[in-house]
Every structure is written in structure tokens, then in C-alpha cells.
């Protein structure tokens, strides 16, 4: 198993130099590609906090859909959360959220001199809810997150961290001029990044 992971990681490094992003007509594949390329995203909740109750609240979270490289992406955005975090407190009242990930955090947009707001600097907006993963999925979530965010393993145990996933119900892709493209979860999960 360790050899397979090393092979996938090495393949990923070699392919990264020659891999191009999916074409605009492949919106589902673009969504998978962008999520797998990103290590973090902006999670928006409806605030449950005094003074902000019911208002939109966005926060940055580390995420992963699997180990880096072409062999790792499941398409499921996993997160490592604690009830001490303000957005998680919002989610305890209303688990609905949106998650935005963008190629702006990768070298791609800088290389092409695309402003983060330029549609060619692709970004994906997921809508759905945050749910704790069950015991059978916790190992997969841990592997996905700790492979990209090794610091997480040393975070304070007394914060009661838990693995969660973004349960996707709607997907919007902005990767070209002409407006958003809608991708269904079924389309999204049926393609590889």
C-alpha cells in the first residue's frame, strides 16, 4: 500500500508539469480538478452568533478530497473540525453551507496572470451541508486530510477534533466567459479530475 501511495505521488509530480486543466466544455471534470487542486476553501454559513444571527458568515477551512496526485481524489471535500470553531457552532444550528474553491490558490492563475475574479481563474461553488463522517469513512477522511495538512496531527487533542465532509447537493462552475455552469452531483462524481 505504501508503495502504491509513493507511486501515485511520484506520478502526480511528473504529471503536474504536463497536465493541463480540463477544457471549459467539461464542467464536471473542471469541478473535480479544481477541488483536487485546492488545499483550502471559503466556507459560508448562516451565523448563529449574537449580533450576526441569520447573516452570511464566511471562513477559511483546510480541506482535502484525497492525497495529492492523480490517484487520490474522491471528489468528497473532507474537513477536520472542532466545536470550538465559530463556523462549526453555526453549523450546529443549521448545517447548510456553501463552499468556494478557486485555482487562485494554485500557481495556475499566477502563471497566466489571471486575477482571482477572472473567469479563466476557475472557481467552483458547492452548496450542501456539513456532516460528521461515520467510523467506516473516518480512516479515508484522516488519510485525505493528514496527507495534505500534516500539521493537523499535532493539533491539541483537548479540542475534540472530528472528521466531517461536505455533502454536496448543488455545484456551480465558473471557468470561462458566459456565466455559471450547473453540474449535478451525479455528473460530478461520475468523472475523474
Amino acid at each position: 500500500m505504501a508503495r502504491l501511495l509513493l507511486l501515485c505521488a511520484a506520478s502526480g509530480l511528473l504529471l503536474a508539469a504536463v497536465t493541463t486543466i480540463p477544457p471549459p466544455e467539461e464542467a464536471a471534470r473542471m469541478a473535480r480538478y479544481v477541488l483536487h487542486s485546492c488545499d483550502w476553501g471559503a466556507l459560508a454559513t448562516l451565523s448563529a452568533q449574537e449580533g450576526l444571527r441569520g447573516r452570511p458568515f464566511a471562513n477559511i477551512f483546510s480541506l482535502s478530497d484525497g492525497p495529492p496526485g492523480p490517484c487520490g481524489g474522491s471528489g468528497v471535500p473532507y474537513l477536520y473540525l472542532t466545536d470550538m470553531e465559530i463556523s462549526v457552532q453555526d453549523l450546529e444550528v443549521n448545517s447548510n453551507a456553501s463552499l468556494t474553491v478557486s485555482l487562485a490558490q494554485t500557481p495556475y492563475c499566477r502563471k497566466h496572470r489571471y486575477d482571482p475574479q477572472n473567469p479563466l481563474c476557475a472557481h467552483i461553488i458547492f452548496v450542501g451541508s456539513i456532516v460528521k463522517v461515520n467510523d467506516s469513512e473516518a480512516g479515508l477522511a484522516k488519510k485525505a486530510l493528514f496527507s495534505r495538512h500534516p500539521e493537523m496531527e499535532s493539533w491539541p487533542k483537548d479540542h475534540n477534533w472530528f472528521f466531517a465532509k461536505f455533502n454536496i447537493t448543488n455545484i456551480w462552475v465558473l471557468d470561462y466567459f458566459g456565466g455559471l455552469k450547473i453540474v449535478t452531483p451525479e455528473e460530478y462524481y461520475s468523472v475523474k479530475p
Side-chain angles (χ1 to χ4, degrees), residues 15-142:
L15 288 174
V18 295
T19 301
T20 58
I21 69 170
E25 59 272 11
E26 295 184 34
R29 200 167 138 238
M30 178 65 79
R32 291 286 302 270
Y33 176 86
V34 173
L35 179 68
H36 189 64
S37 298
C38 293
D39 290 331
W40 56 271
L43 184 74
T45 60
L46 289 176
S47 181
Q49 306 305 313
E50 192 63 42
L52 294 176
R53 192 164 285 123
R55 294 184 180 173
F57 185 82
N59 206 345
I60 300 298
F61 284 90
S62 299
L63 55 84
S64 177
D65 79 331
C71 299
S74 68
V76 177
Y78 289 108
L79 303 105
Y80 196 41
L81 304 174
T82 172
D83 292 331
M84 299 172 78
E85 211 289 323
I86 192 168
S87 295
V88 175
Q89 294 168 14
D90 295 343
L91 293 166
E92 290 170 350
V93 174
N94 183 343
S95 65
N96 293 312
S98 67
L99 173 67
T100 301
V101 291
S102 170
L103 286 182
Q105 68 173 275
T106 71
Y108 178 80
C109 295
R110 286 186 295 277
K111 176 184 170 189
H112 293 283
R113 296 187 177 159
Y114 294 149
D115 185 87
Q117 198 170 328
N118 182 331
L120 298 176
C121 185
H123 71 270
I124 314 303
I125 304 163
F126 298 97
V127 175
S129 59
I130 301 289
V131 295
K132 288 183 180 182
V133 300
N134 59 34
D135 290 341
S136 65
E137 196 173 3
L140 181 61
K142 180 178 181 178

Side-chain angles (χ1 to χ4, degrees), residues 80 82 84 142 146 151-161:
Y80 196 41
T82 172
M84 299 172 78
K142 180 178 181 178
F146 289 7
E151 175 188 326
M152 288 179 169
E153 287 190 83
S154 65
W155 287 356
K157 300 296 182 214
D158 64 351
H159 284 41
N160 298 316
W161 297 96

